[in-house]
Amino acid sequence: MEKQKTNFDFLTGLITIVIGIVYGIMSYMLKRSPMGNPLSPSIFPLILACGMVLFGIILLLRSDLETTKRAFAQIKATTTAKDKLSHQMIFATVAAAIIYAFLFERVGYVIATFLFMSFMLTITNGKKWLMNLLTSLIFSIVVYYVFSYLLGVILPKTPFLNI
Amino acid sequence: MEVLSLFFDGLLTAIQPYHLLLITFGGVLGTIVGMLPGLGPATGVAVLLPITFSMSPTAALITMAGVYYGAMFGGSRSSILINTPGDGAALAATFDGYPMAMNGKAESALAISAIASFIGGLISVVFLIALATPVAKFALKFGPAEYFLLMVAALSMTASMSKGNMVKGFIATLFGLMISTVGIDAQSGIPRFTFGILELQTGIDFLVVIIGLYALGEVFKAFKAINEGKKIPQKKFGRIWISKEEWQKTWLPILRSTPLGFVVGALPGAGGTMASLMAYNNEKQFSNNPDDFGKGEIVGLAAPEAANNAASVGAFIPMLTLGIPGSGTTAVMMGALLMLGIQPGPLLFTQHPDVAWGLIASMVIGNFVLAIVNIPMAGLLVRVLSVDAKILYPIVLGLAFVGTYAISSSVVDFFILIIFGVLGYFMDKIKIPTAPMILAVIVGGTMEQSFRQATRISNGSLGIFVESPLALALIAITVISVVYPAIKASLAKRKAKTV
């Protein structure tokens, strides 16, 4: 049996066209320039929008819905437990990063980073607590010290302790 | 010769003990990042960029040159020892490098890759010295219309040569250009595509895009490797050197592959991956025993390594003289220059010759130091690799965040970083290349400005883009870059059908 082609080109083409149209409308809706050609801030974006729609259509015409459907089916069929684990790891990383962003300026660099790194290491390295906590502690303190004192980059201080 | 004296001034600066220390330091860090599976020079430079903040431009450039070379050397280490290339350019090193290590010839493999890289890099720097000034002088003749068309040509070459599918290359390019339009329009003061978010008014920093796509995106992809268990590299080595017979076999291929790599590297979009694969295939055709290739043939490692390093130097020509980076890695290096307030382009060689030649000289020194560091210290550095990727990947993430904060002092950029990290992961899944997008994000601003300058000169007429012979030549290049691969592909298809 011939192996059937799978790709996401149909979907990619659709997304491209939608991005192109939305971006094109937004470009047209931009405020008019008070001087010179009133449309001048919009012209270049409008060209990009047209290009995006054009290439989206080309991609769409060169692919078909079935191939993309098959690609999704194939993913479902061939996803191993390990793949699922990697997806969960990515999801956990994104979630941790968002929390990290919220904590960063509120609890200071050292504490936020210590928490983030401990969590990340638990994800990748497993439950080797001593190793993980030690690495996170050293990383957050060393980076804080190097950036604030050696590189002159101001990182958020820890409240109360002011370090 | 003025050029030579400027170059030697640069050399003298680069060999000051402090600068040598920085090159070595950057080189070791770069090697460690480059050795991590999936992480190559672009990621290395992107993640380690913040360590150069607050350094003087010269010191920063020297450190980055160290990181750049270190990561390239590190990439070939992991190709040879664990069959995992750091980036596309190190892919060819796995073909014969890994079989060599399996045959108990890891020492020769490590040595020849360092030697070939060193020779390839060194000879290419000579080409670079000879070509940089003439190209820069020529580029000074470009008006805004020609400059705009030059960028169109460079982007379309990148898009059409990007791996996979040309249409997707163009989609990536256009998307990158869209990202570059976010923020307050410099000419009219009108905010564009900011969605009312104050922090977006200054635009999306391309360094954040780069760190997101390369550091976060690549780590996301690498999670899979963590779950699949770690490949344990050989840790004990004999003397890392090559035999006389091996040298006799490899010197000619190294010399042949160097100019090839340089030329391919200087073309926008082609870069190290294509250069090393071409060199590999060339040598396979030249060889009397092509069947040995892929089974641990030392020539099959030496040639792509020389070509890869030569390409990395060649890529500096469009970047330094035209302000157009030809590959992901040079794009990151250009980001480093812009960060330091240095605008690469034709004027760089007339306005800041010290910086331009200082960078070129530090490439030479970096190449030299890294070869020295890598040969005797390979055993030690490889031990760093076996520390555990599981610990090093979170550290790369931690550095990506602190680096982002150092760029903008704003956590809003963390969200942009996360978005582009996830985007990088999905773009890989749907097979859209990221390199054209990054180039577009970097040159997008200048491209639009040149376009608008040109149309203002011509009072809105697009005729200015076809007025000069140079402009017509650039349009022709653009058209050929799009049409040629398409024709080639359809011919190949037809051939495949008839067979």
Side-chain angles (χ1 to χ4, degrees), chain A residues 14 23 25 33 51 53 66-67 70 86 95 102 109 140-141 155 158 160 163:
Chain A
L14 276 184
Y23 181 86
I25 294 172
S33 174
V53 173
E66 286 310 308
T67 327
R70 268 204 300 278
S86 334
F102 275 113
Y109 180 78
S140 50
I141 290 174
L155 293 172
T158 311
F160 307 118
I163 47 166

Side-chain angles (χ1 to χ4, degrees), chain B residues 420-439:
Chain B
F420 279 100
V422 175
L423 192 68
Y425 179 79
F426 280 109
M427 281 172 75
D428 181 63
K429 287 278 168 236
I430 58 175
K431 302 212 165 53
I432 291 191
T434 49
M437 176 173 148
I438 286 179
L439 305 193

